[in-house]
Amino acid sequence: MLEEVMEFSAPAAREAYEQAARAMRVPAPADGDWARAAVAAVRQLSGTPDLKRPLRELGAGRELLPAIAAGAVADAVTKNAPRLPEEAEVPELLTRVY
């Protein structure tokens, strides 16, 4: 879900994403959107070793999504995110990667 969370957080983390993209030696984007470039680079990296799997392939049934969402909102890592999600937004993110 890293790329999805990065896309969600991009409005609040543009400078950090630019730094990350530059650290990954991403070429300067023609449109100047470093956040988009950083997300694209991470998406490419996670796809290369075939690391990313939909939640359904990891054995999570759709009925578990509300519990996973509640856990994510309560997680200390989520509290440190550049943009905190509303509880109602988390199931939407999870459904996108289901």
Side-chain angles (χ1 to χ4, degrees):
M1 288 202 52
L2 180 57
E3 304 95 310
E4 288 78 11
V5 172
M6 287 178 72
E7 286 174 339
F8 176 84
S9 298
R14 295 211 174 275
E15 187 176 312
Y17 286 5
E18 179 177 349
Q19 290 175 0
R22 288 180 184 275
M24 290 186 289
R25 301 187 191 281
V26 172
D31 62 1
D33 189 346
W34 282 98
R36 182 197 50 73
V39 171
V42 169
R43 182 170 280 122
Q44 182 179 10
L45 286 172
S46 69
T48 301
D50 198 28
L51 291 174
K52 189 170 182 175
R53 298 262 191 272
L55 291 173
R56 66 184 172 279
E57 287 184 15
L58 297 172
R62 195 171 283 278
E63 72 281 356
L64 292 176
L65 295 183
I68 294 170
V73 170
D75 191 357
V77 173
T78 303
K79 303 259 186 269
N80 291 322
R83 179 178 170 213
L84 294 177
E86 297 292 325
E87 191 164 344
E89 292 175 306
V90 177
E92 178 184 325
L93 288 169
L94 289 172
T95 300
R96 287 180 23 204
V97 297
Y98 185 76

